Structure formats: C-alpha cells, structure tokens
Amino acid sequence: MDGSERNPTGRFSDRVENYIKYRPSYPPEVLATLQKHCGLKDSSVVADVGSGTGILTRLLLEKGNRVFAIEPNREMREAAERLLGGHEDFTSLPGSAEETGLPADSVDLIVAGQAFHWFDRGRAKAEFIRILRPGGWVALIWNERETTSSPFLREYEALLKKHATDYHWVNHMNIDQEILREFFAPENFQRADARNSQWFDYDGLEGRCLSSSYAPNAGQPGHQQMLAELKELFNRHQADGRVVFDYQTSVYYGRLRDIQDAMEC
C-alpha cells in the first residue's frame, strides 16, 4: 500500500500543537548536504513539499532562501503561517505534491521532510519535473527514529506496534531502495546520513508519541491504555527524569528526468 491509498490530508489536524512542540528539527548536516551536492545557494528558490508546520522551511528561510511551503492540511499550514509569516521570503500555498500550484520551471530545489511516503509517487514525480528548472534537484529527507539502539527504543517500538491504529501501513520505513530507484529513474540518487537526538521528560515523551498520526488520540479506543503503558516505559528507562530519542537523519537526493524523454535522447 502506497501513500496514495491512505489520504494523509486530515491525519494531523488534531495533532498540530504536539507536532510543533515535540517533533525534531534537522541537524546542520542536512543544509550542508544540500549546499555541497544539490547546488543550494542563498539565491536558490526552494519548494518545501508537504511542509507541515514549517520545520524544514524555517531552516531554509534562516539561510536566506525564498521558500514556497506546499501543505494540503489546513491546520498544519496555518500553524506554519503563524510561526513563519514574518519572513518576507516565505510563501504558503494550499497545494500538494501532485498539484503544487507553482508555475512550470519555477524552483531550483524541491525538498520533502517526513512527507514522501504520503505522496502518489507517479503523479508527484511528474509535477516535480514540471516545476523544476533545468538542472534542479530533489531531496527527500527523514529523521528516522532508531528502533533497536537501546532497550527504551526497542520497547517504545513494541508499544507502537501494539497500540497504533495503522502503524504498519503509514510507517515511512516502508519506503525502500527499490521505491527510491523507481522514483528517480532513469537518473540515480545518492544518500547522506547524520545523527540527531531529542531528550524528553515524561510530558515531552507523551507529546512526541501523540504527534504521530497513527497513535490513538484522546477519545479514541486504546488511548488511555497506551498512555498508561507509556508512563511505565518511561519510569523503567528514565535517567535523571529524561529519556532519549536517537535518529538517523537521511537525505536522498538526485535529479529527475522523464523516462520517455530519456528514451528519446
């Protein structure tokens, strides 16, 4: 099942505040990769597709780029507008990966942070080719939560599998190398990795958990039981009142070209 079969547009509407407070930003190596390998300059125009509350958008704005933030979820988009509306180079659009609303040949770089697994990949690829300027790049970025690197993270993963409503289907780790090769074909793609971490007290851990679209929210079946087990998990593993989430941040980057165009060359 790919992202086109589970409409993501409304999934985060009731999780915006937790998303803002508890989702990780991206380590500085991400921008360094975009500068070194994807031609990102201060003058580059960037489309952040599936921009959510603007976590990645903010980093690009602070670097000095003009950024079009494309987000179909109204609540997430309005949160980004509230947080980032003071930046003159920020433009918020109610588009999607499949229909961005941008003109053809209008951006130098497309980024997608924590979002590609929601896309209809075929339609998104066609749209990305349309809006990219010649020589433009695409970078797909994830903070990939470690699931086996500590006893706490192993047990947290088990808790999600037990209580999360559709964790298996919407987990971004379902995006594998074959899917990425198909998306970038006939071009190749490269990968760059970095480390990232977050430290949480219990309130932060609960908020981080509930920021995920698959976690049962207040009023949904299993919510109270999940939180009770989460509290027990925290108490078993906390050190000085905190637990740590470790991430591998991965950037998959490359250029796009229509396969039919490649065959005609």
Side-chain angles (χ1 to χ4, degrees), residues 9 21 27 30 59 66 78 82 89 96 103 160 165 173 263:
T9 302
K21 292 178 182 177
V30 168
L59 298 181
R66 183 182 181 191
E78 289 178 352
R82 183 174 74 249
D89 291 322
S96 65
L160 293 181
T165 53
M173 294 181 185
M263 292 174 62

Side-chain angles (χ1 to χ4, degrees), residues 32 83 119-120 151 159 171 193 213 232 246:
L83 295 167
F119 298 169
D120 178 318
L159 181 142
N171 188 349
D193 295 324
S213 69
E232 294 174 0
D246 292 319

Side-chain angles (χ1 to χ4, degrees), residues 106-262:
S106 60
V107 300
D108 302 295
L109 171 67
I110 297 170
V111 297
Q114 310 296 129
F116 177 72
H117 52 292
W118 297 113
F119 298 169
D120 178 318
R121 296 188 291 272
R123 293 177 60 208
K125 180 176 181 176
E127 177 70 349
F128 288 6
I129 291 171
R130 187 186 72 81
I131 67 174
L132 276 172
R133 292 170 177 161
W137 291 80
V138 174
L140 310 175
I141 305 165
W142 282 278
N143 281 313
E144 301 177 356
R145 174 175 45 82
E146 296 283 358
T147 59
T148 61
S149 60
S150 73
F152 163 69
L153 290 173
R154 286 195 293 271
E155 291 185 36
Y156 182 78
E157 179 73 1
L159 181 142
L160 293 181
K161 289 179 177 177
K162 178 180 179 181
H163 291 289
T165 53
D166 53 2
Y167 179 54
H168 172 73
W169 295 116
V170 302
N171 188 349
H172 71 266
M173 294 181 185
N174 293 332
I175 300 296
D176 58 19
Q177 297 293 305
E178 181 177 349
I179 287 172
L180 292 167
R181 279 194 293 270
E182 179 183 1
F183 181 75
F184 283 101
E187 302 296 329
N188 297 316
F189 71 92
Q190 303 295 320
R191 172 177 175 171
D193 295 324
R195 307 302 302 172
N196 202 6
S197 296
Q198 287 179 292
W199 291 87
F200 292 120
D201 60 12
Y202 176 73
D203 288 341
L205 175 62
E206 181 178 308
R208 174 64 178 84
C209 180
L210 294 177
S211 74
S212 299
S213 69
Y214 42 73
N217 219 341
Q220 296 177 336
H223 173 76
Q224 291 299 331
Q225 183 181 356
M226 182 189 72
L227 291 189
E229 294 181 21
L230 185 68
K231 181 67 171 179
E232 294 174 0
L233 176 62
F234 176 83
N235 289 337
R236 283 197 302 274
H237 294 287
Q238 61 84 22
D240 297 324
R242 297 194 302 172
V243 292
V244 62
F245 269 34
D246 292 319
Y247 300 91
Q248 176 175 274
T249 302
S250 297
V251 182
Y252 302 88
Y253 59 92
R255 290 191 171 102
L256 293 180
R257 185 162 48 127
D258 186 87
I259 292 177
Q260 186 61 40
D261 290 344

